[in-house]
């Protein structure tokens, strides 16, 4: 069942109108990218998952990269880029019609040190030869860009060559998501994973991997500045339950405060996290349980 697969994370960067969402949708073959209403709403999220027979690419979005005008703006951009550094490859999408402007220059300056970079010049179906040439010549000056391809996300031109180029950066490893999942399996699975990680970190080796997390409910309050999340941590034995809760609930509190910051970062709101602990023996052996924990596709 587990054939060798190659997988990896690739972040997509580029100016707002470069066509990143169109490209995402074209690569994955259906509409998945959330085209955000206001710039900078996308935190470091999963944009889409491309699964082929022998590889899987998880595309990560970086926040609408803006030229920072103050210290706080700069801090936000830097934090966003920290996440982009842990990827196998960065895909820079260029808009030859607008040309490479100040914003693109700022992005190029930031991605030159770090993961390998591939550039895709988009909109070849509507750009003029002069525009394409100017864009290509500008990118050719950056000798650290591994490869520059011409594509049309809208028409689908050059996408096979692009997939082929991206594949070279993948590493042998797990398939992170089910075959038929294309987008960020709403934030639930990522939230669950963050809580599970926090649990494992807080518990050291006491309760090893017999821990599953299910998100019961995520609700954003009317104000939009606070999200309530109810989650259940499942463990395999009654004795583990006591360890996870801790003396007078101290351990569970610790787990909650460790999991909250990354979830708040992802949700871009404050988070009120309510955690429960339940015993469910051998949950890892039951498909229905695995489905519940998001390890199997949920339709």
């Amino acid at each position: 069942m587990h054939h060798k697969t190659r997988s990896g994370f690739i972040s997509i960067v580029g100016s707002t109108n470069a066509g990143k969402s169109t490209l995402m949708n074209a690569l994955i073959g259906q509409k998945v990218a959330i085209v955000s209403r206001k710039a900078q709403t996308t935190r470091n999220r999963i944009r889409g998952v491309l699964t082929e027979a022998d590889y899987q690419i998880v595309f990560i979005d970086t926040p609408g990269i803006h030229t920072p005008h103050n210290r706080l703006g700069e801090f936000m951009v830097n934090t966003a880029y920290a996440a982009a550094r842990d990827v196998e490859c960065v895909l820079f999408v260029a808009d030859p019609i607008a040309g490479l402007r100040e914003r693109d220059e700022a992005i190029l300056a930031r991605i030159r040190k770090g993961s390998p970079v591939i550039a895709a010049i988009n909109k070849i179906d509507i750009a003029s030869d002069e525009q394409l040439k100017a864009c290509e010549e500008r990118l050719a000056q950056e000798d650290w860009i591994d490869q520059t391809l011409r594509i049309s996300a809208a028409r689908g031109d050059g996408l096979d060559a692009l997939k082929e180029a991206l594949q070279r950066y993948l590493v042998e490893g797990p398939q992170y998501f089910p075959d038929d999942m294309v987008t960020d399996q709403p934030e639930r699975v990522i939230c669950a994973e963050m809580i599970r990680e926090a649990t494992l970190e807080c518990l050291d080796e006491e309760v090893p991997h017999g821990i599953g997390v299910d998100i019961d409910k995520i609700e954003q309050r009317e104000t939009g500045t606070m999200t309530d999340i109810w989650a259940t941590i499942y463990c395999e034995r009654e004795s583990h339950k006591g360890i996870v809760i801790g003396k007078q609930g101290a351990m569970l509190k610790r787990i909650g405060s460790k999991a909250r910051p990354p979830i708040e970062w992802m949700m871009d709101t404050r988070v009120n996290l309510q955690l429960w602990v339940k015993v469910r023996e051998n949950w890892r052996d039951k498909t229905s349980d695995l489905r519940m924990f998001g390890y199997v596709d949920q339709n």
Side-chain angles (χ1 to χ4, degrees):
M1 181 178 149
H2 290 286
H3 53 281
K4 274 206 170 141
T5 184
R6 294 166 71 233
S7 56
F9 290 84
I10 290 178
S11 69
I12 299 196
V13 299
S15 284
T16 319
N17 296 316
K20 291 175 298 190
S21 299
T22 315
L23 174 58
M24 203 58 262
N25 295 333
L27 285 171
I28 291 170
Q30 47 192 300
K31 216 165 170 38
V32 290
I34 303 114
V35 185
S36 112
R37 292 169 304 295
K38 57 183 205 287
Q40 293 170 46
T41 49
T42 333
R43 286 300 175 107
N44 182 41
R45 305 202 169 183
I46 293 179
R47 263 234 157 169
V49 181
L50 169 64
T51 307
E52 298 280 1
D54 53 349
Y55 70 89
Q56 184 174 68
I57 296 176
V58 181
F59 288 101
I60 294 189
D61 204 8
T62 45
I65 303 302
H66 51 297
T67 314
H69 289 299
N70 56 33
R71 294 291 293 279
L72 177 68
E74 193 146 344
F75 169 76
M76 276 182 63
V77 172
N78 288 336
T79 316
Y81 271 102
R85 271 183 228 123
D86 307 327
V87 295
E88 269 67 50
C89 169
V90 175
L91 173 58
F92 173 71
V93 185
D95 176 354
I97 296 171
L100 296 185
R101 300 195 172 163
E102 183 194 6
R103 178 174 295 192
D104 296 284
E105 296 293 347
I107 295 172
L108 288 171
R110 281 173 182 281
I111 59 176
R112 64 179 306 154
K113 296 202 172 43
S115 305
V117 178
I118 285 186
I121 299 177
N122 192 15
K123 307 187 183 181
I124 59 171
D125 51 326
I126 50 174
S128 71
D129 282 349
E130 289 76 39
Q131 290 170 328
L132 289 168
K133 238 177 115 161
C135 193
E136 218 148 54
E137 280 167 8
R138 172 64 194 87
L139 291 173
Q141 293 168 26
E142 309 298 331
D143 58 0
W144 46 271
I145 296 178
D146 285 358
Q147 197 180 349
T148 300
L149 298 95
R150 290 184 173 200
I151 62 162
S152 161
R155 228 179 35 193
D157 301 349
L159 298 190
D160 287 342
L162 177 59
K163 283 183 193 178
E164 195 140 308
L166 294 173
Q167 257 194 81
R168 292 185 201 130
Y169 298 92
L170 302 179
V171 288
E172 231 171 69
Q175 183 170 312
Y176 293 97
F177 299 108
D179 285 352
D180 40 11
M181 196 185 88
V182 288
T183 190
D184 68 351
Q185 65 314 355
E187 286 143 338
R188 293 166 69 108
V189 175
I190 299 176
C191 276
E193 197 46 41
M194 285 170 173
I195 294 168
R196 202 175 81 90
E197 259 174 40
T199 309
L200 296 178
E201 275 173 40
C202 290
L203 294 174
D204 302 321
E205 289 304 303
E206 290 175 282
V207 181
H209 300 282
I211 289 237
V213 176
D214 184 36
I215 305 293
D216 306 306
K217 201 156 69 161
I218 297 183
E219 267 180 14
Q220 199 164 21
R221 296 192 193 170
E222 293 292 302
T223 57
T225 54
M226 171 73 88
T227 306
D228 293 292
I229 299 176
W230 291 266
T232 307
I233 298 173
Y234 287 94
C235 43
E236 294 182 315
R237 300 195 183 91
E238 197 61 50
S239 58
H240 290 173
K241 182 177 171 178
I243 298 173
V244 175
I245 293 172
K247 277 205 177 77
Q248 287 154 351
M251 180 55 80
L252 196 56
K253 245 197 192 103
R254 253 183 75 194
I255 293 168
S257 30
K258 200 170 187 64
R260 198 179 307 108
I263 295 175
E264 291 186 328
W265 166 246
M266 178 179 72
M267 294 293 205
D268 203 8
T269 65
R270 285 176 50 231
V271 166
N272 166 36
L273 191 54
Q274 301 282 339
L275 297 175
W276 280 267
V277 183
K278 290 182 187 166
V279 176
R280 172 174 296 211
E281 285 174 23
N282 307 325
W283 65 266
R284 282 179 288 182
D285 304 335
K286 299 181 190 149
T287 316
S288 63
D289 289 359
L290 288 176
R291 178 171 290 116
M292 185 169 136
F293 295 119
Y295 294 119
V296 183
D297 173 57
Q298 299 173 299
N299 276 337

